[in-house]
Amino acid sequence: MRAPSFPRAALLAVTLSAVLGTAFAPVPAQARQAAPAKVDIPYEEFTLPNGLRVIVHTDRKAPIVAVNVWYHVGAKDEPAGRTGFAHLFEHLMFQGSENHDGEFFEPFKQVGATNQNGTTNTDRTNYFENVPTTALDMALWMESDRMGHLLGAIDQKALDEQRGVVQNEKRQGENQPYGQAWDVLTRALYPKGHPYHHGVIGSMNDLNAASLDDVKTWFRTWYGPNNAVLVLAGDIDVATAKEKVARYFGDIAAGPTMAQPPVNVARRPASTRQTMTDKVPQARIYRAWNVAQYGTVDIDRLQLLAYVLGGAKASRLDQRLLHQEQLVDQVSAGAYASQLGSNFVVMATVKQGVDPARVEAIIQQEIDRLIAEGPSAEELERAKTVARASFIRGIERIGGFGGKADALAECAVFTGDPGCFRTSLATVEGTGAADLQAVGRTWLGKGDHTLVIEPGARVALPEEPAVTPVPFALPKPDPKYATLPTTVDRKAGVPQTATFPELKFPALQRATLKNGTRVILAERHDIPVVQFSYEFNGGFTADQGRKPGTANFALGMLDEGAGERGSLAFADAAESLGARFAAGASLDGSSASLSALKENLDPSLALFADMVRRPRFEQKEIDRIKATWIAGIAQEKAQPNGVAMRILPPLLYGEGHPYAIPFTGSGTEAGIAALTRDDLVGFQRDWIRPENATLIVVGDTTLKQIVPQLERHFGDWKGEGAAPAAKVPAEVARPKQPRVYLIDQPGAVQANLFAGQVVPSTTDAGATGFDIANGVLGGDFTSRLNMNLREEKHWSYGARSMASSALGQRPWMAIAPVQIDKTADALKEMDREIAAFAAGRQPPTAAEVERIRNIQTLSLPGAYETAGAVLSTIGGIVRYGRPDDYVFKRKAEIEAMTPDQVRQAAATLDPAALTWVVVGDLKQTEQPVRALGLGEVVVVDADGKPVLPAAK
């Protein structure tokens, strides 16, 4: 379960910018192809007598229904001395209910639910899942049972378990570089007593003090149907919704009517600042203002202003700080909407050796200039286009984070109007330059708080002084609500799902361009967007004989200027069209992608052709990005997962192997520093070429429409010289005994544990069986590793295992971040679980195999809800030489899988040849790990080089 540090902004909100920037060269209006398509989320609603508000949106594109329940309670509603209660209770709601004994997830796993989770922020708590249409009764029974019949299932054991999990979630966040920033900011921005003064996850003291009576009173106070909104979106209509919701929720008694805190933006009378140190490679500046609340014209306009200032490659701050003066490696601006008041935040990661004060001064200059002069017409139009395009892409999904169900629920809870997004869209469309100047003058003056985090020792954020907890007083239920007669026999248990929707996958249509590129089209006409992925050979493995990191760096440079446009002008043109471009490499290949609005398809394809065929590789851009790239490597080394993904692959594959590289794809500092323009041109010439390439197209077009356009932009493209042959890497032997590598992370409050081993290729005949075996061991929330370390021991926020796809031997890894005093104990448990499973002492049970089989097959009818999911699957078909009907064949293979076959697949793992990596505070981890006797123990640095012991 996820608990965002900052409230999530509305669906319309513009996201933080990426690392790289741009300038102004819009695509002429006459280049656009068609009038913008009308976009909306139509809905109907009704309210039960007990106060449950229900909103229904019909979308028949896939046989699934998104179930999304929002309770209007969050961290803002916690009294003094009770911080973290809302989030702790979110976790407790997954522990089962009075009529369902066991994990809440279990019945959903049996029907192939997707996108299932729960989240808490300052203002609300929500629970969501996408389920097959035929499993809707089960989902509504489960949600209603925990709404109306939870308390009898919550005992001290469940409370202690989830309290431990939440505390490890808190440690996990704080253990990341800059991980304490948001807690520091909220304490500074809001005075004591303000509902937003404390963080969502709460304090260790308050979590430790939570009693069983406290949490039960919390539930009775806030979790009644009259304090909830239920959204059903997808393969459903309002008549069906009325019948089913009344049946399952109608007899639940209403709770008290709880007043919401008044809006309190907490405008600050003066600007303040503070500095702290952390184990980070670079200084980072955070500058934040308290601004207008959710649902206001001002917050919508502030989001546009943030976009112009620092929210995109075309932003003012990107141009000045990244391109012109090159003082930062990343800069962004965003406005984050919340119920009582919002935050406008500028963040900049300062280059090493640069004085943060100089960056701060430029940030202020650009804010002043934007407010004084206003945005140009082109800037404002781009911001509006990107906002609209973001909305269109968001509403492709019925559920999950930011999908249509979320948009409707958010609007209903915070404004009372499920369609408030329409008002925001209209506000954005009608905003002029003077409006942005006015909103900037109103909100971005004095009253900000600046936090600078500098490299140094990690200083733990002190717990705020303990306060006497405010006693929980249970208000009386609101008598104005009524209940419907009980029609469900709860004692009969969870409704069983007897039938399931048929798996459907779009037909793959094929063509070949004059340049030799194969085209694969899957039509999707749900939203007016077309997605493209040009698939090439030459991934990380193509770095052999080249400087480490060449492949990913070259791909990353493709949209940093192409054709007649430099980096800034190219980004301007893309944003003017609402188009998204990306390129990157993976282990065995590379790709360049485009997501285009149908109304601007042809000019977007023209830019895409320039990007792929005519990248400029300008020296000034190479130099700029090299510096930022090298800083990014330093950031990887400061992160527990990042440093492990850098050193574990060379340990698994051995020096000189094509896969013995950082799996981040970033290469090495020396390799990137030595890159020349000729290196990049040579890589593009050799590997980014039309022969042997495949262009995947998914979206709102037809083969008849798209092939002529592709021919016009790509048909005359020819590769230069002979293309190098793509080779499958040679196999390597596993080590003869286990090995343990320790990496020091001074001051860490967690240890991050990794076990790794090579396993057969993705193309191996036994790959599917191994995937099922991995699912049982660690590939799912309900897997053995997670149930042990999270749910039983509550030493970790989550443990998992995975095998990445590869043409050569795949890297298999088990991963667990654990509280640091349990490092050795957790390693022992991981080793025991892996060994018992692989050796057959604790083979997969029939129930475990059935659960993973159901997860991987029954979820398929809803798995291809989005064009992106379809495109990704086709990408796998291309990369690994799979047949067009691969999804159906794999489904049949999984359905036929027996426990004995999975047991045999589990034996693929050899616990006597594991490579362990432990990232943590060496003072606390080294001796307990050595005492385990897992294998030879070597202390290494962030580059994987052995560290000699200190002289005594």
Side-chain angles (χ1 to χ4, degrees), residues 113 142 162 340 448 545 592 609 702 780:
M142 290 292 291
Q162 290 307 312
L340 309 182
D448 61 298
T702 66
D780 180 67

Side-chain angles (χ1 to χ4, degrees), residues 18 100 123 322 371 388 538 608 682 687 720 752 771 817 822 885:
H100 171 67
D123 302 320
L322 271 171
I371 293 173
R388 179 175 175 277
F608 189 42
W687 294 106
E720 182 183 338
N752 287 62
D771 289 342
K822 299 298 183 183
D885 60 351

Side-chain angles (χ1 to χ4, degrees), residues 539-541 543-544 546-554 585 626 629-637 642-643 645-647 649-650 658-675 942-943:
F540 301 160
T541 55
D543 281 351
Q544 291 290 292
R546 288 181 159 91
K547 292 153 188 168
T550 299
N552 225 13
F553 193 96
K626 278 168 69 170
W629 197 284
I630 291 169
I633 293 174
Q635 292 285 355
E636 288 176 2
K637 292 180 178 180
V643 70
M645 291 304 100
R646 293 187 65 81
I647 75 161
Y659 291 173
I661 52 175
F663 278 171
T664 57
S666 54
T668 64
E669 293 98 324
I672 298 300
L675 277 177
D943 293 310

Side-chain angles (χ1 to χ4, degrees), residues 808-821:
Q809 288 165 298
R810 291 194 284 174
W812 175 85
M813 287 173 279
I815 304 168
V818 300
Q819 61 194 71
I820 199 144
D821 61 327

